[in-house]
PDB file of all heavy atoms in Angstrom:
ATOM      1  N   TYR W 878    -132.600 -50.946 -49.989  1.00 88.00           N
ATOM      2  CA  TYR W 878    -133.935 -51.086 -49.404  1.00 88.00           C
ATOM      3  C   TYR W 878    -133.899 -51.922 -48.140  1.00 88.00           C
ATOM      4  O   TYR W 878    -134.667 -51.677 -47.206  1.00 88.00           O
ATOM      5  CB  TYR W 878    -134.918 -51.670 -50.425  1.00 88.00           C
ATOM      6  CG  TYR W 878    -134.684 -53.116 -50.810  1.00 88.00           C
ATOM      7  CD1 TYR W 878    -135.204 -54.161 -50.048  1.00 88.00           C
ATOM      8  CD2 TYR W 878    -133.964 -53.442 -51.955  1.00 88.00           C
ATOM      9  CE1 TYR W 878    -134.996 -55.484 -50.402  1.00 88.00           C
ATOM     10  CE2 TYR W 878    -133.762 -54.753 -52.328  1.00 88.00           C
ATOM     11  CZ  TYR W 878    -134.273 -55.782 -51.545  1.00 88.00           C
ATOM     12  OH  TYR W 878    -134.078 -57.087 -51.897  1.00 88.00           O
ATOM     13  N   GLN W 879    -132.972 -52.903 -48.056  1.00 92.00           N
ATOM     14  CA  GLN W 879    -132.844 -53.689 -46.820  1.00 92.00           C
ATOM     15  C   GLN W 879    -132.342 -52.801 -45.681  1.00 92.00           C
ATOM     16  O   GLN W 879    -132.813 -52.918 -44.544  1.00 92.00           O
ATOM     17  CB  GLN W 879    -131.888 -54.862 -47.036  1.00 92.00           C
ATOM     18  CG  GLN W 879    -132.429 -55.947 -47.971  1.00 92.00           C
ATOM     19  CD  GLN W 879    -131.366 -56.982 -48.311  1.00 92.00           C
ATOM     20  OE1 GLN W 879    -130.207 -56.641 -48.552  1.00 92.00           O
ATOM     21  NE2 GLN W 879    -131.758 -58.245 -48.322  1.00 92.00           N
ATOM     22  N   GLN W 880    -131.391 -51.927 -45.987  1.00 93.00           N
ATOM     23  CA  GLN W 880    -130.879 -51.017 -44.965  1.00 93.00           C
ATOM     24  C   GLN W 880    -131.977 -50.074 -44.493  1.00 93.00           C
ATOM     25  O   GLN W 880    -132.065 -49.747 -43.302  1.00 93.00           O
ATOM     26  CB  GLN W 880    -129.702 -50.219 -45.512  1.00 93.00           C
ATOM     27  CG  GLN W 880    -128.999 -49.361 -44.472  1.00 93.00           C
ATOM     28  CD  GLN W 880    -128.405 -50.193 -43.346  1.00 93.00           C
ATOM     29  OE1 GLN W 880    -127.588 -51.082 -43.596  1.00 93.00           O
ATOM     30  NE2 GLN W 880    -128.812 -49.925 -42.107  1.00 93.00           N
ATOM     31  N   THR W 881    -132.843 -49.649 -45.439  1.00 90.00           N
ATOM     32  CA  THR W 881    -133.979 -48.802 -45.063  1.00 90.00           C
ATOM     33  C   THR W 881    -134.904 -49.543 -44.115  1.00 90.00           C
ATOM     34  O   THR W 881    -135.390 -48.977 -43.121  1.00 90.00           O
ATOM     35  CB  THR W 881    -134.752 -48.358 -46.318  1.00 90.00           C
ATOM     36  OG1 THR W 881    -133.876 -47.594 -47.154  1.00 90.00           O
ATOM     37  CG2 THR W 881    -135.964 -47.509 -45.940  1.00 90.00           C
ATOM     38  N   TRP W 882    -135.165 -50.828 -44.397  1.00 92.00           N
ATOM     39  CA  TRP W 882    -135.994 -51.635 -43.489  1.00 92.00           C
ATOM     40  C   TRP W 882    -135.387 -51.648 -42.091  1.00 92.00           C
ATOM     41  O   TRP W 882    -136.093 -51.448 -41.096  1.00 92.00           O
ATOM     42  CB  TRP W 882    -136.095 -53.075 -43.999  1.00 92.00           C
ATOM     43  CG  TRP W 882    -136.857 -53.264 -45.269  1.00 92.00           C
ATOM     44  CD1 TRP W 882    -137.544 -52.334 -45.978  1.00 92.00           C
ATOM     45  CD2 TRP W 882    -137.007 -54.498 -45.984  1.00 92.00           C
ATOM     46  NE1 TRP W 882    -138.117 -52.899 -47.090  1.00 92.00           N
ATOM     47  CE2 TRP W 882    -137.800 -54.210 -47.120  1.00 92.00           C
ATOM     48  CE3 TRP W 882    -136.548 -55.791 -45.794  1.00 92.00           C
ATOM     49  CZ2 TRP W 882    -138.146 -55.197 -48.055  1.00 92.00           C
ATOM     50  CZ3 TRP W 882    -136.891 -56.772 -46.715  1.00 92.00           C
ATOM     51  CH2 TRP W 882    -137.682 -56.473 -47.827  1.00 92.00           C
ATOM     52  N   VAL W 883    -134.084 -51.927 -42.023  1.00 94.00           N
ATOM     53  CA  VAL W 883    -133.410 -52.035 -40.721  1.00 94.00           C
ATOM     54  C   VAL W 883    -133.453 -50.697 -39.991  1.00 94.00           C
ATOM     55  O   VAL W 883    -133.706 -50.650 -38.773  1.00 94.00           O
ATOM     56  CB  VAL W 883    -131.958 -52.517 -40.910  1.00 94.00           C
ATOM     57  CG1 VAL W 883    -131.197 -52.459 -39.579  1.00 94.00           C
ATOM     58  CG2 VAL W 883    -131.931 -53.941 -41.462  1.00 94.00           C
ATOM     59  N   ASP W 884    -133.233 -49.596 -40.713  1.00 91.00           N
ATOM     60  CA  ASP W 884    -133.257 -48.277 -40.080  1.00 91.00           C
ATOM     61  C   ASP W 884    -134.637 -47.970 -39.508  1.00 91.00           C
ATOM     62  O   ASP W 884    -134.757 -47.430 -38.394  1.00 91.00           O
ATOM     63  CB  ASP W 884    -132.868 -47.200 -41.093  1.00 91.00           C
ATOM     64  CG  ASP W 884    -131.405 -47.293 -41.512  1.00 91.00           C
ATOM     65  OD1 ASP W 884    -130.636 -47.966 -40.803  1.00 91.00           O
ATOM     66  OD2 ASP W 884    -131.054 -46.704 -42.554  1.00 91.00           O
ATOM     67  N   ARG W 885    -135.692 -48.312 -40.269  1.00 88.00           N
ATOM     68  CA  ARG W 885    -137.048 -48.040 -39.785  1.00 88.00           C
ATOM     69  C   ARG W 885    -137.388 -48.933 -38.602  1.00 88.00           C
ATOM     70  O   ARG W 885    -138.071 -48.506 -37.662  1.00 88.00           O
ATOM     71  CB  ARG W 885    -138.048 -48.228 -40.924  1.00 88.00           C
ATOM     72  CG  ARG W 885    -137.925 -47.135 -41.984  1.00 88.00           C
ATOM     73  CD  ARG W 885    -138.825 -47.345 -43.165  1.00 88.00           C
ATOM     74  NE  ARG W 885    -140.247 -47.261 -42.809  1.00 88.00           N
ATOM     75  CZ  ARG W 885    -141.224 -47.312 -43.701  1.00 88.00           C
ATOM     76  NH1 ARG W 885    -140.951 -47.444 -44.984  1.00 88.00           N
ATOM     77  NH2 ARG W 885    -142.485 -47.231 -43.312  1.00 88.00           N
ATOM     78  N   PHE W 886    -136.896 -50.161 -38.622  1.00 91.00           N
ATOM     79  CA  PHE W 886    -137.098 -51.045 -37.472  1.00 91.00           C
ATOM     80  C   PHE W 886    -136.388 -50.489 -36.243  1.00 91.00           C
ATOM     81  O   PHE W 886    -136.939 -50.465 -35.138  1.00 91.00           O
ATOM     82  CB  PHE W 886    -136.576 -52.444 -37.793  1.00 91.00           C
ATOM     83  CG  PHE W 886    -136.387 -53.314 -36.583  1.00 91.00           C
ATOM     84  CD1 PHE W 886    -137.475 -53.926 -35.977  1.00 91.00           C
ATOM     85  CD2 PHE W 886    -135.133 -53.491 -36.018  1.00 91.00           C
ATOM     86  CE1 PHE W 886    -137.308 -54.716 -34.842  1.00 91.00           C
ATOM     87  CE2 PHE W 886    -134.952 -54.269 -34.892  1.00 91.00           C
ATOM     88  CZ  PHE W 886    -136.058 -54.888 -34.301  1.00 91.00           C
ATOM     89  N   ALA W 887    -135.145 -50.033 -36.421  1.00 89.00           N
ATOM     90  CA  ALA W 887    -134.375 -49.510 -35.285  1.00 89.00           C
ATOM     91  C   ALA W 887    -135.060 -48.298 -34.679  1.00 89.00           C
ATOM     92  O   ALA W 887    -135.049 -48.113 -33.454  1.00 89.00           O
ATOM     93  CB  ALA W 887    -132.962 -49.154 -35.746  1.00 89.00           C
ATOM     94  N   GLU W 888    -135.683 -47.488 -35.513  1.00 85.00           N
ATOM     95  CA  GLU W 888    -136.353 -46.290 -35.013  1.00 85.00           C
ATOM     96  C   GLU W 888    -137.607 -46.647 -34.226  1.00 85.00           C
ATOM     97  O   GLU W 888    -137.887 -46.077 -33.168  1.00 85.00           O
ATOM     98  CB  GLU W 888    -136.722 -45.381 -36.186  1.00 85.00           C
ATOM     99  CG  GLU W 888    -137.386 -44.087 -35.765  1.00 85.00           C
ATOM    100  CD  GLU W 888    -137.678 -43.179 -36.949  1.00 85.00           C
ATOM    101  OE1 GLU W 888    -137.145 -43.435 -38.047  1.00 85.00           O
ATOM    102  OE2 GLU W 888    -138.438 -42.211 -36.774  1.00 85.00           O
ATOM    103  N   ALA W 889    -138.385 -47.635 -34.741  1.00 83.00           N
ATOM    104  CA  ALA W 889    -139.642 -48.004 -34.093  1.00 83.00           C
ATOM    105  C   ALA W 889    -139.452 -49.026 -32.974  1.00 83.00           C
ATOM    106  O   ALA W 889    -140.264 -49.101 -32.055  1.00 83.00           O
ATOM    107  CB  ALA W 889    -140.621 -48.560 -35.129  1.00 83.00           C
ATOM    108  N   GLY W 890    -138.398 -49.842 -33.055  1.00 84.00           N
ATOM    109  CA  GLY W 890    -138.171 -50.873 -32.053  1.00 84.00           C
ATOM    110  C   GLY W 890    -138.955 -52.147 -32.313  1.00 84.00           C
ATOM    111  O   GLY W 890    -138.796 -53.133 -31.590  1.00 84.00           O
ATOM    112  N   GLU W 891    -139.805 -52.133 -33.346  1.00 86.00           N
ATOM    113  CA  GLU W 891    -140.591 -53.304 -33.705  1.00 86.00           C
ATOM    114  C   GLU W 891    -141.074 -53.120 -35.142  1.00 86.00           C
ATOM    115  O   GLU W 891    -141.010 -52.018 -35.691  1.00 86.00           O
ATOM    116  CB  GLU W 891    -141.798 -53.462 -32.770  1.00 86.00           C
ATOM    117  CG  GLU W 891    -142.730 -52.249 -32.767  1.00 86.00           C
ATOM    118  CD  GLU W 891    -143.867 -52.381 -31.772  1.00 86.00           C
ATOM    119  OE1 GLU W 891    -143.804 -53.282 -30.923  1.00 86.00           O
ATOM    120  OE2 GLU W 891    -144.813 -51.576 -31.860  1.00 86.00           O
ATOM    121  N   GLY W 892    -141.553 -54.191 -35.755  1.00 87.00           N
ATOM    122  CA  GLY W 892    -142.065 -54.072 -37.110  1.00 87.00           C
ATOM    123  C   GLY W 892    -142.116 -55.414 -37.806  1.00 87.00           C
ATOM    124  O   GLY W 892    -141.657 -56.439 -37.276  1.00 87.00           O
ATOM    125  N   VAL W 893    -142.692 -55.408 -39.010  1.00 88.00           N
ATOM    126  CA  VAL W 893    -142.796 -56.595 -39.849  1.00 88.00           C
ATOM    127  C   VAL W 893    -142.184 -56.277 -41.200  1.00 88.00           C
ATOM    128  O   VAL W 893    -142.647 -55.359 -41.892  1.00 88.00           O
ATOM    129  CB  VAL W 893    -144.266 -57.029 -40.038  1.00 88.00           C
ATOM    130  CG1 VAL W 893    -144.342 -58.231 -40.982  1.00 88.00           C
ATOM    131  CG2 VAL W 893    -144.913 -57.377 -38.702  1.00 88.00           C
ATOM    132  N   PHE W 894    -141.119 -56.994 -41.577  1.00 90.00           N
ATOM    133  CA  PHE W 894    -140.534 -56.829 -42.900  1.00 90.00           C
ATOM    134  C   PHE W 894    -141.433 -57.535 -43.912  1.00 90.00           C
ATOM    135  O   PHE W 894    -141.620 -58.759 -43.830  1.00 90.00           O
ATOM    136  CB  PHE W 894    -139.124 -57.422 -42.958  1.00 90.00           C
ATOM    137  CG  PHE W 894    -138.081 -56.652 -42.194  1.00 90.00           C
ATOM    138  CD1 PHE W 894    -136.840 -57.204 -41.929  1.00 90.00           C
ATOM    139  CD2 PHE W 894    -138.327 -55.365 -41.738  1.00 90.00           C
ATOM    140  CE1 PHE W 894    -135.861 -56.511 -41.226  1.00 90.00           C
ATOM    141  CE2 PHE W 894    -137.365 -54.649 -41.029  1.00 90.00           C
ATOM    142  CZ  PHE W 894    -136.137 -55.223 -40.776  1.00 90.00           C
ATOM    143  N   VAL W 895    -141.984 -56.776 -44.851  1.00 84.00           N
ATOM    144  CA  VAL W 895    -142.882 -57.319 -45.863  1.00 84.00           C
ATOM    145  C   VAL W 895    -142.219 -57.164 -47.226  1.00 84.00           C
ATOM    146  O   VAL W 895    -141.913 -56.052 -47.657  1.00 84.00           O
ATOM    147  CB  VAL W 895    -144.237 -56.585 -45.867  1.00 84.00           C
ATOM    148  CG1 VAL W 895    -145.156 -57.172 -46.935  1.00 84.00           C
ATOM    149  CG2 VAL W 895    -144.894 -56.674 -44.488  1.00 84.00           C
ATOM    150  N   GLY W 896    -141.979 -58.274 -47.907  1.00 81.00           N
ATOM    151  CA  GLY W 896    -141.358 -58.237 -49.230  1.00 81.00           C
ATOM    152  C   GLY W 896    -141.533 -59.568 -49.916  1.00 81.00           C
ATOM    153  O   GLY W 896    -141.795 -60.585 -49.268  1.00 81.00           O
ATOM    154  N   PRO W 897    -141.385 -59.608 -51.240  1.00 76.00           N
ATOM    155  CA  PRO W 897    -141.587 -60.862 -51.971  1.00 76.00           C
ATOM    156  C   PRO W 897    -140.535 -61.898 -51.621  1.00 76.00           C
ATOM    157  O   PRO W 897    -139.441 -61.542 -51.145  1.00 76.00           O
ATOM    158  CB  PRO W 897    -141.480 -60.434 -53.439  1.00 76.00           C
ATOM    159  CG  PRO W 897    -140.666 -59.187 -53.416  1.00 76.00           C
ATOM    160  CD  PRO W 897    -141.015 -58.500 -52.135  1.00 76.00           C
ATOM    161  N   PRO W 898    -140.834 -63.173 -51.841  1.00 73.00           N
ATOM    162  CA  PRO W 898    -139.789 -64.186 -51.680  1.00 73.00           C
ATOM    163  C   PRO W 898    -138.586 -63.820 -52.532  1.00 73.00           C
ATOM    164  O   PRO W 898    -138.715 -63.351 -53.661  1.00 73.00           O
ATOM    165  CB  PRO W 898    -140.463 -65.466 -52.199  1.00 73.00           C
ATOM    166  CG  PRO W 898    -141.927 -65.231 -52.025  1.00 73.00           C
ATOM    167  CD  PRO W 898    -142.116 -63.760 -52.273  1.00 73.00           C
ATOM    168  N   GLY W 899    -137.397 -64.001 -51.966  1.00 73.00           N
ATOM    169  CA  GLY W 899    -136.192 -63.659 -52.697  1.00 73.00           C
ATOM    170  C   GLY W 899    -135.696 -62.258 -52.456  1.00 73.00           C
ATOM    171  O   GLY W 899    -134.622 -61.879 -52.947  1.00 73.00           O
ATOM    172  N   SER W 900    -136.437 -61.448 -51.687  1.00 80.00           N
ATOM    173  CA  SER W 900    -136.013 -60.063 -51.458  1.00 80.00           C
ATOM    174  C   SER W 900    -135.018 -59.939 -50.309  1.00 80.00           C
ATOM    175  O   SER W 900    -134.519 -58.844 -50.044  1.00 80.00           O
ATOM    176  CB  SER W 900    -137.226 -59.171 -51.187  1.00 80.00           C
ATOM    177  OG  SER W 900    -137.965 -59.630 -50.068  1.00 80.00           O
ATOM    178  N   GLY W 901    -134.728 -61.032 -49.609  1.00 86.00           N
ATOM    179  CA  GLY W 901    -133.701 -60.986 -48.572  1.00 86.00           C
ATOM    180  C   GLY W 901    -134.191 -60.559 -47.203  1.00 86.00           C
ATOM    181  O   GLY W 901    -133.483 -59.860 -46.478  1.00 86.00           O
ATOM    182  N   LYS W 902    -135.411 -60.988 -46.842  1.00 90.00           N
ATOM    183  CA  LYS W 902    -135.944 -60.622 -45.514  1.00 90.00           C
ATOM    184  C   LYS W 902    -135.115 -61.250 -44.407  1.00 90.00           C
ATOM    185  O   LYS W 902    -134.891 -60.629 -43.356  1.00 90.00           O
ATOM    186  CB  LYS W 902    -137.408 -61.062 -45.410  1.00 90.00           C
ATOM    187  CG  LYS W 902    -138.337 -60.345 -46.377  1.00 90.00           C
ATOM    188  CD  LYS W 902    -139.787 -60.749 -46.175  1.00 90.00           C
ATOM    189  CE  LYS W 902    -140.038 -62.200 -46.537  1.00 90.00           C
ATOM    190  NZ  LYS W 902    -139.803 -62.486 -47.961  1.00 90.00           N
ATOM    191  N   THR W 903    -134.646 -62.482 -44.624  1.00 92.00           N
ATOM    192  CA  THR W 903    -133.856 -63.162 -43.589  1.00 92.00           C
ATOM    193  C   THR W 903    -132.544 -62.427 -43.345  1.00 92.00           C
ATOM    194  O   THR W 903    -132.132 -62.208 -42.191  1.00 92.00           O
ATOM    195  CB  THR W 903    -133.579 -64.615 -43.999  1.00 92.00           C
ATOM    196  OG1 THR W 903    -134.822 -65.295 -44.206  1.00 92.00           O
ATOM    197  CG2 THR W 903    -132.800 -65.338 -42.920  1.00 92.00           C
ATOM    198  N   VAL W 904    -131.868 -62.034 -44.410  1.00 93.00           N
ATOM    199  CA  VAL W 904    -130.606 -61.289 -44.255  1.00 93.00           C
ATOM    200  C   VAL W 904    -130.869 -59.947 -43.586  1.00 93.00           C
ATOM    201  O   VAL W 904    -130.104 -59.501 -42.721  1.00 93.00           O
ATOM    202  CB  VAL W 904    -129.923 -61.106 -45.623  1.00 93.00           C
ATOM    203  CG1 VAL W 904    -128.700 -60.212 -45.490  1.00 93.00           C
ATOM    204  CG2 VAL W 904    -129.516 -62.467 -46.194  1.00 93.00           C
ATOM    205  N   ALA W 905    -131.970 -59.280 -43.977  1.00 95.00           N
ATOM    206  CA  ALA W 905    -132.314 -58.011 -43.329  1.00 95.00           C
ATOM    207  C   ALA W 905    -132.584 -58.225 -41.846  1.00 95.00           C
ATOM    208  O   ALA W 905    -132.248 -57.360 -41.017  1.00 95.00           O
ATOM    209  CB  ALA W 905    -133.533 -57.390 -44.012  1.00 95.00           C
ATOM    210  N   ALA W 906    -133.184 -59.357 -41.488  1.00 95.00           N
ATOM    211  CA  ALA W 906    -133.427 -59.667 -40.073  1.00 95.00           C
ATOM    212  C   ALA W 906    -132.114 -59.798 -39.313  1.00 95.00           C
ATOM    213  O   ALA W 906    -132.015 -59.394 -38.144  1.00 95.00           O
ATOM    214  CB  ALA W 906    -134.249 -60.950 -39.947  1.00 95.00           C
ATOM    215  N   MET W 907    -131.090 -60.347 -39.976  1.00 96.00           N
ATOM    216  CA  MET W 907    -129.778 -60.441 -39.333  1.00 96.00           C
ATOM    217  C   MET W 907    -129.170 -59.047 -39.161  1.00 96.00           C
ATOM    218  O   MET W 907    -128.452 -58.790 -38.194  1.00 96.00           O
ATOM    219  CB  MET W 907    -128.862 -61.347 -40.148  1.00 96.00           C
ATOM    220  CG  MET W 907    -129.342 -62.787 -40.165  1.00 96.00           C
ATOM    221  SD  MET W 907    -128.383 -63.829 -41.260  1.00 96.00           S
ATOM    222  CE  MET W 907    -129.513 -65.214 -41.417  1.00 96.00           C
ATOM    223  N   GLY W 908    -129.489 -58.138 -40.096  1.00 96.00           N
ATOM    224  CA  GLY W 908    -129.088 -56.750 -39.914  1.00 96.00           C
ATOM    225  C   GLY W 908    -129.747 -56.146 -38.688  1.00 96.00           C
ATOM    226  O   GLY W 908    -129.133 -55.374 -37.943  1.00 96.00           O
ATOM    227  N   ALA W 909    -131.017 -56.511 -38.447  1.00 95.00           N
ATOM    228  CA  ALA W 909    -131.717 -56.043 -37.247  1.00 95.00           C
ATOM    229  C   ALA W 909    -131.090 -56.641 -35.993  1.00 95.00           C
ATOM    230  O   ALA W 909    -130.985 -55.970 -34.953  1.00 95.00           O
ATOM    231  CB  ALA W 909    -133.195 -56.402 -37.332  1.00 95.00           C
ATOM    232  N   MET W 910    -130.673 -57.921 -36.057  1.00 94.00           N
ATOM    233  CA  MET W 910    -129.988 -58.551 -34.928  1.00 94.00           C
ATOM    234  C   MET W 910    -128.721 -57.772 -34.568  1.00 94.00           C
ATOM    235  O   MET W 910    -128.441 -57.513 -33.392  1.00 94.00           O
ATOM    236  CB  MET W 910    -129.633 -60.002 -35.270  1.00 94.00           C
ATOM    237  CG  MET W 910    -130.802 -60.960 -35.324  1.00 94.00           C
ATOM    238  SD  MET W 910    -130.320 -62.595 -35.968  1.00 94.00           S
ATOM    239  CE  MET W 910    -128.956 -63.015 -34.881  1.00 94.00           C
ATOM    240  N   ALA W 911    -127.959 -57.413 -35.600  1.00 94.00           N
ATOM    241  CA  ALA W 911    -126.730 -56.666 -35.360  1.00 94.00           C
ATOM    242  C   ALA W 911    -127.038 -55.289 -34.776  1.00 94.00           C
ATOM    243  O   ALA W 911    -126.306 -54.782 -33.919  1.00 94.00           O
ATOM    244  CB  ALA W 911    -125.944 -56.538 -36.669  1.00 94.00           C
ATOM    245  N   GLU W 912    -128.139 -54.685 -35.207  1.00 93.00           N
ATOM    246  CA  GLU W 912    -128.537 -53.369 -34.705  1.00 93.00           C
ATOM    247  C   GLU W 912    -128.923 -53.450 -33.229  1.00 93.00           C
ATOM    248  O   GLU W 912    -128.557 -52.579 -32.435  1.00 93.00           O
ATOM    249  CB  GLU W 912    -129.703 -52.848 -35.529  1.00 93.00           C
ATOM    250  CG  GLU W 912    -130.158 -51.450 -35.195  1.00 93.00           C
ATOM    251  CD  GLU W 912    -129.195 -50.385 -35.670  1.00 93.00           C
ATOM    252  OE1 GLU W 912    -128.535 -50.595 -36.708  1.00 93.00           O
ATOM    253  OE2 GLU W 912    -129.092 -49.349 -34.995  1.00 93.00           O
TER     254      GLU W 912
END
Side-chain angles (χ1 to χ4, degrees):
Y878 69 85
Q879 291 172 319
Q880 187 61 58
T881 299
W882 292 355
V883 173
D884 292 343
R885 290 176 65 175
F886 164 78
E888 182 177 347
E891 58 184 13
V893 177
F894 289 167
V895 180
S900 58
K902 295 184 293 296
T903 302
V904 174
M907 294 174 197
M910 288 172 54
E912 184 73 32

